[in-house]
Amino acid sequence: MADLTDIPGFESFTEIKPITKGWSEDKKYCVIKADGTKYLLRISPIERYEIRKSLFEMMKKVSALGIPMCKPVEFGVCPDGVYVLHNWIEGEDLSDVLPNLSETEQYELGLKAGEILQVIHSIPAPENQVNWAERVNRKIDTKMKKYQECGIKIDGDDNFIKYIEQNRYLLENRPQCFQHDDYHVGNMMLENGELIIIDFDRSDYGDPWEEFKSITWNAQLSASFATGQVNGYFEGEPPLEFFKLLAFYISGGSLAHVLGAVTWGQHEIDVALNLASNVLKWYDNMNNPVPTWYLRDFK
């Protein structure tokens, strides 16, 4: 266990429970104070001080918008690195709960997720952001080169590559804003029926529509939820331009997912390949920008 003795209020901690779930390098604990209040305590390596400090300040801005989230409470330095204290969410992982709900309930939670995302995107990007098209094209070129060299191939990857090359023009003149950048059911919880957003660790600035690239995870679990998320964000059916651009981002994301999975082993490679296969089915091998998981009649 990390050395927590220098954290202000340590003497009031009556219980400290390590949390092992998740992919982060951080040490995580559920700490309980004498008055019964629970907190999530995260400790990161000291080298991440500036990153953690910036994230803590941004989370305060997001929280001020009224977003239902794991709220930042305290930030500081301790013997084992940088610590951040958040309020504790006494809920269940949405990915566990969603399959047990009715289609209508899934859709309504999706609507809420879309509405919340719209508010998150109200935070503008700094004016000195690199041109979006330039930034994404450079990133995609790098990812595609590494994908071609990685040795693991998606059956039908030529459909992704063709779609990317034919639709780069869609990146031009796109706006940028604050992004959660990992917005899917795995980073959402349900507490007393309320949707709570967690884990802003990957937050960034970029095209608001790019945020939906993670919707593949949602669609794989619940088409109703994914449809609701899109409709909630757009307050109705989105324009075709959105679907075209989303298909572009998902094409690039499918290649990048396989590339990233290589470092985690065969299980993660299989997960990535399975998701890519589903994407190709939803999009008719990238010939139809409107995926089959989008339920037009569910309104």
Side-chain angles (χ1 to χ4, degrees), residues 18-29:
I19 299 171
T20 55
K21 186 176 181 179
W23 297 86
S24 172
E25 64 176 343
D26 292 354
K27 295 172 183 174
K28 294 182 286 187
Y29 304 91

Side-chain angles (χ1 to χ4, degrees), residues 188-297:
M188 299 176 188
M189 297 182 72
L190 204 59
E191 183 180 49
N192 298 322
E194 183 180 15
L195 194 64
I196 309 290
I197 311 303
I198 64 171
D199 200 352
F200 283 76
D201 274 24
R202 290 176 55 179
S203 59
D204 196 4
Y205 296 98
D207 176 3
W209 290 0
E210 190 215 17
E211 184 87 85
F212 286 85
K213 66 184 183 293
S214 299
I215 204 170
T216 51
W217 295 109
N218 301 351
Q220 190 164 246
L221 187 64
S222 167
S224 299
F225 180 89
T227 299
Q229 182 184 332
V230 172
N231 289 351
Y233 185 88
F234 285 94
E235 300 175 24
E237 187 171 327
L240 181 59
E241 200 73 5
F242 163 76
F243 284 116
K244 289 180 178 179
L245 193 49
L246 177 58
F248 177 92
Y249 291 134
I250 287 176
S251 293
S254 296
L255 300 179
H257 186 196
V258 170
L259 182 62
V262 171
T263 61
W264 292 102
Q266 191 58 50
H267 174 71
E268 292 305 316
I269 291 172
D270 292 342
V271 168
L273 291 176
N274 180 62
L275 184 56
S277 176
N278 285 337
V279 169
L280 289 171
K281 291 173 186 172
W282 292 330
Y283 286 91
D284 186 22
N285 290 320
M286 307 319 295
N287 288 310
N288 187 348
V290 182
T292 56
W293 57 254
Y294 182 69
L295 310 174
R296 275 202 164 96
D297 296 331

Side-chain angles (χ1 to χ4, degrees), residues 73-139:
V73 177
E74 192 176 292
F75 171 87
V77 176
C78 63
D80 280 7
V82 185
Y83 77 88
V84 182
L85 210 59
H86 301 265
N87 74 308
W88 183 261
I89 306 300
E90 199 69 72
E92 299 176 274
D93 292 348
L94 185 61
S95 55
D96 294 335
V97 177
L98 206 57
N100 301 320
L101 303 178
S102 69
E103 295 294 318
T104 298
E105 290 171 322
Q106 291 175 28
Y107 178 75
E108 289 174 349
L109 282 170
L111 283 175
K112 187 62 180 176
E115 292 165 0
I116 291 170
L117 187 58
Q118 190 183 70
V119 178
I120 290 173
H121 288 172
S122 68
I123 299 175
E127 292 183 4
N128 62 351
Q129 281 297 107
V130 175
N131 175 272
W132 181 246
E134 176 186 333
R135 178 178 159 195
V136 174
N137 278 316
R138 186 167 60 238
K139 185 189 295 185

Side-chain angles (χ1 to χ4, degrees), residues 4-16:
L4 312 180
T5 53
D6 280 6
I7 293 176
F10 170 76
E11 64 283 349
S12 69
F13 294 167
T14 57
E15 207 169 336
I16 302 172

